[in-house]
């Protein structure tokens, strides 16, 4: 989910809550936000300063995810406390990591590839062998015979025209070609 609030807006909300005379729910109502979101922003600001309100896009290694989960379980921290401690700004990330870890262990924490899968590589197929004369039908053999006869006649005519041209360049009277 994309973060729809700018860093400046978050800072303004946190300042209003910290230095204003109203509580968390009233501040949330004033800005039209859920109070738990403001509470998260305030805790991030108090733990990390203004940089705690900045948008980040991080990719965490499986080892880091396991370390976060073990610290949470060992110290009995809530998800929100763990997010603040490790500066994890993606809401729900730790809960998702926990479910993945319980369902598939450490390997389930590895990032999944997104997008289309690559097409499997097929080995190149050898060109089909031409069938032998015994496997071909009578019509196929007649078609090939007609093609070969036409090719032969074309080559004979081409040869005759080439001889005729050579003879004219030498000054001899050419023999008329049969057409």
């Amino acid at each position: 989910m994309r973060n729809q609030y700018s860093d400046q807006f978050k800072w303004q909300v946190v300042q209003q809550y910290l230095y204003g005379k109203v509580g968390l729910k009233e501040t949330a109502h004033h800005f039209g936000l859920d109070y738990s979101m403001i509470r998260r922003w305030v805790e991030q600001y108090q733990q990390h300063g203004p940089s705690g309100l900045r948008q980040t896009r991080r990719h965490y290694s499986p080892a880091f995810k396991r370390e976060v989960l073990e610290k949470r379980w060992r110290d009995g921290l809530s998800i929100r406390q763990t997010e603040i401690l490790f500066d994890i700004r993606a809401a729900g990330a730790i809960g998702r990591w926990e479910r993945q870890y319980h369902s598939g262990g450490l390997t389930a924490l590895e990032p999944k590839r997104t997008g289309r899968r690559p097409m499997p590589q097929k080995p190149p197929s050898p060109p089909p062998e031409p069938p032998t004369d015994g496997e071909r039908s009578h019509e196929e053999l007649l078609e090939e015979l007609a093609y070969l006869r036409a090719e032969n006649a074309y080559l004979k005519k081409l040869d005759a025209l080439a001889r005729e041209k050579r003879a004219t360049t030498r000054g001899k009277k050419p023999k008329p070609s049969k057409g």
Side-chain angles (χ1 to χ4, degrees):
M1 186 169 119
R2 190 178 80 69
N3 189 341
Q4 61 184 350
Y5 303 107
S6 70
D7 300 340
Q8 179 64 31
F9 176 74
K10 291 178 189 177
W11 185 81
Q12 181 184 358
V13 171
V14 168
Q15 294 303 310
Q16 174 77 25
Y17 170 71
L18 290 175
Y19 302 110
K21 302 222 186 298
V22 293
L24 188 63
K25 290 189 180 184
E26 291 83 9
T27 305
H29 181 70
H30 174 75
F31 287 102
L33 300 169
D34 185 52
Y35 74 91
S36 64
M37 185 179 297
I38 296 176
R39 182 175 52 208
R40 177 183 310 233
W41 292 348
V42 168
E43 289 172 351
Q44 288 174 336
Y45 179 79
Q46 289 173 335
Q47 182 75 23
H48 303 288
S51 66
L53 299 176
R54 288 198 192 105
Q55 298 177 17
T56 60
R57 292 229 182 259
R58 290 191 191 162
H59 297 281
Y60 302 104
S61 70
F64 175 78
K65 293 176 184 179
R66 189 180 76 208
E67 178 187 340
V68 168
L69 293 175
E70 287 175 351
K71 173 78 171 170
R72 171 174 148 64
W73 297 329
R74 185 176 53 247
D75 296 350
L77 300 172
S78 70
I79 288 179
R80 198 172 69 245
Q81 289 170 327
T82 310
E83 287 173 344
I84 298 302
L85 181 65
F86 286 95
D87 194 22
I88 298 170
R89 300 187 194 154
I94 295 177
R96 186 172 50 254
W97 298 346
E98 212 165 16
R99 286 189 300 277
Q100 289 171 340
Y101 186 79
H102 287 309
S103 69
L106 187 59
T107 57
L109 295 176
E110 299 206 9
K112 306 250 187 308
R113 285 191 57 178
T114 58
R116 245 181 174 177
R117 292 183 181 189
M119 290 185 63
Q121 295 294 327
K122 295 179 183 174
S125 58
E129 294 182 21
T132 61
D133 287 343
E135 296 172 345
R136 294 177 17 190
S137 70
H138 183 68
E139 289 83 23
E140 289 175 326
L141 292 172
L142 288 176
E143 282 178 20
E144 184 180 6
L145 179 62
Y147 176 81
L148 291 173
R149 284 181 177 167
E151 182 181 24
N152 194 17
Y154 174 79
L155 292 173
K156 282 182 180 178
K157 181 71 173 174
L158 183 66
D159 185 47
L161 289 173
R163 263 191 258 144
E164 217 176 280
K165 187 173 182 179
R166 276 192 305 249
T168 56
T169 57
R170 290 187 196 151
K172 295 183 181 176
K173 186 175 182 186
K175 291 183 181 177
S177 62
K178 296 179 182 175

